[in-house]
Amino acid sequence: MSGQDDPEDLEADAEAVEVRIVAVGPADAGGRIDKVLAGLAPELSRARLQALIAQGRVSHGGTPITDASSKAQPGDYRIEIPAPVAAEPAPGDRADGVVRRRPSDRHRQAGGDGCSSGAW
C-alpha cells in the first residue's frame, strides 16, 4: 500500500455521515449550545446533540465544540450525524422479538428461588 487513503474507503466514510449546517442568529445566541441547536434542529434531541458534541462532531467556525453547556455564538454550526448502526441480536433473542431466558435468569430477577410455590 502507498499509505494514502483508498478513494473507495473515503467515499464510504462520506456516505456514512450526514452533515447539517445550523445557523444561529443573534436572537438565539447566549443560550446553552445544546439547547439552542435542539431548538433549531428539532429532529435531533438535546441528548443526541450532547453525545455528538462529546464525540467532537459539532463545530463552529472549524473549531470543535467541547462543552454542551457552552454559550451559543452567532454563526453557522456544522453537525456531523453518523449513520445509524444496526444492533446485533444478543444470544437467546429470536427474530420474532421474543427473548428466551433460562430458569436461572428468572431466579435472579425474582430475588429468591424464582418460584413462590416452591414447584421448582
Side-chain angles (χ1 to χ4, degrees):
M1 290 218 122
S2 63
Q4 295 179 347
D5 291 327
D6 184 3
E8 289 181 21
D9 289 341
L10 292 175
E11 286 178 24
D13 288 344
E15 292 173 355
V17 176
E18 175 188 349
V19 175
R20 289 279 321 270
I21 304 297
V22 178
V24 174
D28 295 315
R32 282 179 58 115
I33 189 61
D34 57 345
K35 189 172 182 180
V36 169
L37 291 176
L40 295 171
E43 69 280 5
L44 296 172
S45 70
R46 189 168 167 187
R48 180 70 171 131
L49 282 161
Q50 289 170 349
L52 292 171
I53 290 169
Q55 295 168 4
R57 294 186 174 271
V58 179
S59 60
H60 180 253
T63 304
I65 304 299
T66 58
D67 183 7
S69 66
S70 63
K71 301 298 179 195
Q73 302 297 316
D76 290 341
Y77 286 80
R78 183 178 196 269
I79 304 171
E80 296 177 2
I81 306 164
V85 178
E88 296 284 328
D93 290 353
R94 296 181 2 186
D96 60 5
V98 176
V99 178
R100 294 174 284 159
R101 299 288 182 229
R102 299 181 308 262
S104 61
D105 291 339
R106 281 180 272 191
H107 174 78
R108 283 190 284 265
Q109 291 174 352
D113 64 1
C115 183
S116 60
S117 67
W120 274 25

